[in-house]
């Protein structure tokens, strides 16, 4: 059975060009970039090139790129650096729809005595900018807001939010794990101080990420040990993954204009098709600015987990929310924050596309999904209750 992979916000296929680039760095050029000999030196040169490629995609300087183990580490490093650099400040501003890498960290920090403000979002997932403005205080050590939401694709006005924080001399971090490679980002002339990205969301291997840290910023390292990454992140570099991430960033920059509109077309076709063919459905966050690849749909009167299992039986991979919370039957915190009831939130499916999806795959999903929902509803007490009402 062919797999139709529509779960690209969970993770992506390593691009064939990336795989080809990195293979020799496992068995042929396996030197340590910190070694004094030229065998290691040639790997150091490739790491330098990768740093330039990542910086190129972000409009950053190579020296502002710190390689980490992924999005979660970058998020932790950013927030913890701000708190360590400004120990007198005890307040953090964030949102209720952040990925657990920020949300759970902030909740953990709240238990340690930090004050955490979660700026609410609207029913479309948009940040309440008035509450945000009021939440910035002289005691605020850092703002951490995601650039784009992993479950709905809704994009926050990060440049504006960063500007507002800068006006009050407050550090601004953004979790751009879902945004990088999907929408243009240019850090050259904006007020973002720190930004997290993750390799496996943009067709490079897992276990590699970046923390962008603006030149001149007071940075306190989270991982301490050797002097790699100019003393900002200790540990022998994950060289093959770093080189792969560099290649993936180069590809993403090339594909941004040419391929992303095609992804948007496929996403829109899928979403429109579902809304037309299946009654009692709604696309969450669809009137807000959104990533081109993500669609989050509520199917009333049916459980998301049952939809996923039926799709899986047809070879279609989607998800009910973030991969990090799958397995838990709790409704999504993102959808609850947008005002969905727990029952409706439990009937939501996220479809997230990539440049590798095709028109035929979308047609196949549009053919298989409506009868699945009809069958599941016919067995659902929620549906029978609705019919009787
Ligand atoms: N932030 C967001 C918005 C994400 O979607 C993810 C992964 O799903 C992460 C952070 C965590 O990244 P990683 O898996 O590289 O730790």
């Amino acid at each position: 059975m062919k797999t139709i992979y529509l779960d690209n916000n969970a993770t992506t296929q390593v691009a064939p060009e990336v795989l080809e680039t990195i293979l020799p760095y496992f068995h042929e050029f396996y030197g340590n970039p910190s070694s004094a000999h030229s065998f290691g030196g040639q790997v150091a040169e490739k790491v330098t090139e990768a740093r330039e490629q990542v910086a190129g995609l972000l409009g950053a300087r190579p020296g502002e790129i710190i390689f980490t183990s992924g999005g979660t580490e970058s998020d932790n490093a950013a927030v913890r650096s701000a708190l360590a650099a400004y120990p007198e400040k005890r307040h953090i501003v964030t949102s209720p729809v952040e990925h657990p890498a920020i949300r759970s960290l902030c909740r953990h920090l709240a238990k340690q005595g930090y004050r955490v403000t979660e700026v609410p979002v609207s029913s479309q997932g948009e940040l309440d900018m008035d509450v945000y403005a009021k939440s910035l205080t002289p005691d605020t050590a850092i703002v951490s807001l995601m650039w784009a939401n992993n479950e709905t694709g809704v994009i926050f006005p990060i440049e504006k939010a960063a500007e507002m924080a800068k006006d009050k001399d407050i550090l601004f971090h953004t979790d751009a794990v879902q945004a990088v490679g999907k929408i243009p980002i240019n850090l050259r002339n904006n007020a973002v101080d720190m930004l997290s990205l993750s390799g496996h969301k943009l067709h490079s291997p897992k276990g590699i990420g970046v923390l962008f840290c603006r030149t001149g910023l007071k940075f306190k390292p989270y991982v301490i040990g050797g002097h790699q990454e100019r003393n900002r992140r200790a540990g022998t570099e994950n060289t093959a993954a770093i080189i792969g991430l560099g290649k993936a960033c180069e590809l993403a920059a090339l594909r941004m204009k040419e391929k992303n509109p095609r992804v948007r077309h496929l996403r829109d076709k899928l979403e429109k098709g579902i809304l037309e063919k299946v009654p009692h459905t709604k696309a969450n966050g669809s009137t807000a600015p959104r990533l081109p690849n993500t669609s989050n749909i509520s199917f009333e009167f049916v459980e998301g987990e049952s939809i996923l299992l039926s799709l899986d039986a047809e070879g279609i991979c989607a998800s009910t929310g973030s991969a990090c919370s799958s397995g838990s039957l709790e409704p999504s915190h993102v959808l609850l924050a947008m005002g969905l009831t727990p029952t409706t939130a439990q009937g939501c499916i996220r479809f997230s596309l990539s440049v590798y999806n095709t028109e035929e795959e979308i047609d196949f999903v549009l053919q298989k999904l409506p009868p699945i929902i009809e069958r599941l509803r016919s067995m659902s007490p929620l549906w029978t209750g609705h019919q009787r009402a």
Side-chain angles (χ1 to χ4, degrees):
M1 186 166 52
K2 185 178 179 298
T3 297
I4 297 182
Y5 189 73
L6 300 179
D7 200 12
N8 287 279
N9 287 7
T11 197
T12 59
Q13 174 192 346
V14 172
E17 298 90 330
V18 170
L19 184 62
E20 194 192 342
T21 306
I22 67 181
L23 281 179
Y25 293 90
F26 288 106
H27 59 101
E28 206 176 330
F29 306 114
Y30 51 83
N32 186 325
S34 299
S35 296
H37 45 70
S38 55
F39 186 66
Q42 62 190 338
V43 182
E45 276 172 29
K46 286 298 287 184
V47 169
T48 300
E49 187 186 324
R51 206 182 297 284
E52 287 163 0
Q53 288 164 318
V54 176
L57 179 65
L58 300 177
R61 297 189 178 102
E64 295 174 324
I65 302 302
I66 305 171
F67 289 113
T68 67
S69 68
T72 302
E73 184 191 320
S74 298
D75 284 348
N76 271 261
V79 173
R80 289 181 184 277
S81 167
L83 300 180
Y86 301 96
E88 69 289 359
K89 300 190 178 196
R90 307 285 296 170
H91 179 222
I92 303 165
V93 173
T94 184
S95 88
V97 297
E98 299 297 311
H99 184 273
I102 285 293
R103 192 164 170 261
S104 303
L105 170 67
C106 289
R107 293 191 165 196
H108 169 77
L109 291 166
K111 284 194 196 128
Q112 295 184 353
Y114 289 94
R115 198 161 60 81
V116 176
T117 301
E118 289 188 349
V119 179
V121 297
S122 70
S123 59
Q124 285 298 314
E126 290 173 294
L127 197 70
D128 185 328
M129 294 302 276
D130 293 333
V131 176
Y132 171 62
K134 288 187 196 121
S135 73
L136 303 174
T137 70
D139 187 40
T140 311
I142 186 163
V143 174
S144 181
L145 291 171
M146 66 202 322
W147 204 308
N149 188 272
N150 46 306
E151 294 191 29
T152 60
V154 171
I155 296 170
F156 279 167
I158 287 301
E159 277 116 341
K160 170 105 184 83
E163 203 57 54
M164 288 163 70
K166 188 180 178 186
D167 286 348
K168 301 215 163 161
D169 255 342
I170 298 169
L171 280 181
F172 189 94
H173 164 255
T174 181
D175 174 343
V177 164
Q178 294 293 345
V180 173
K182 294 175 188 154
I183 53 172
I185 287 182
N186 188 350
L187 296 170
R188 176 59 56 238
N189 294 318
N190 73 24
V192 169
D193 293 303
M194 289 185 277
L195 171 147
S196 305
L197 72 85
S198 171
H200 73 106
K201 311 289 182 176
L202 72 152
H203 305 290
S204 85
K206 296 168 183 55
I208 184 69
V210 160
L211 179 65
F212 156 85
C213 188
R214 195 172 288 283
T215 307
L217 194 99
K218 215 159 131 190
F219 182 75
K220 300 279 182 192
Y222 175 47
V223 180
I224 298 184
H227 48 254
Q228 292 88 354
E229 298 299 290
R230 291 187 12 221
N231 294 315
R232 293 170 299 175
R233 200 279 186 179
T236 301
E237 297 86 342
N238 185 355
T239 50
I242 288 174
I243 293 163
L245 177 57
K247 182 71 187 172
C249 287
E250 185 188 84
L251 283 176
L254 291 173
R255 284 169 169 172
M256 189 76 69
K257 273 214 181 90
E258 170 217 340
K259 296 268 173 82
N260 289 0
R262 201 185 130 263
V263 173
R264 182 184 293 277
H265 157 75
L266 293 180
R267 187 277 310 267
D268 289 348
K269 175 175 172 164
L270 175 70
E271 188 170 281
K272 194 161 165 276
I274 295 174
L275 298 184
E276 275 172 13
K277 286 169 180 254
V278 187
H280 305 290
T281 46
K282 199 180 94 195
N284 296 304
S286 62
T287 64
R290 246 187 332 163
L291 293 175
N293 80 317
T294 309
S295 178
N296 186 303
I297 306 215
S298 318
F299 295 86
E300 292 282 359
F301 315 116
V302 60
E303 285 269 335
E305 290 294 321
S306 331
I307 305 175
L308 277 194
L309 291 177
S310 303
L311 288 174
D312 192 36
E314 299 288 352
I316 302 165
C317 309
S319 102
T320 47
S322 114
C324 306
S325 31
S326 65
S328 101
L329 290 175
E330 289 294 307
S332 143
H333 68 278
V334 174
L335 299 173
L336 292 182
M338 289 164 67
L340 272 71
T341 64
T343 313
T344 305
Q346 269 167 331
C348 292
I349 299 288
R350 174 186 75 184
F351 299 96
S352 47
L353 284 66
S354 83
V355 293
Y356 298 115
N357 290 121
T358 64
E359 202 91 31
E360 293 70 44
E361 290 180 331
I362 300 305
D363 290 337
F364 183 79
V365 178
L366 287 175
Q367 183 203 331
K368 293 290 173 190
L369 185 61
I372 287 178
I373 302 295
E374 203 177 319
R375 180 174 52 80
L376 292 174
R377 279 186 180 154
S378 71
M379 300 183 308
S380 155
L382 292 170
W383 179 245
T384 359
H386 167 75
Q387 298 291 79
R388 272 201 223 102

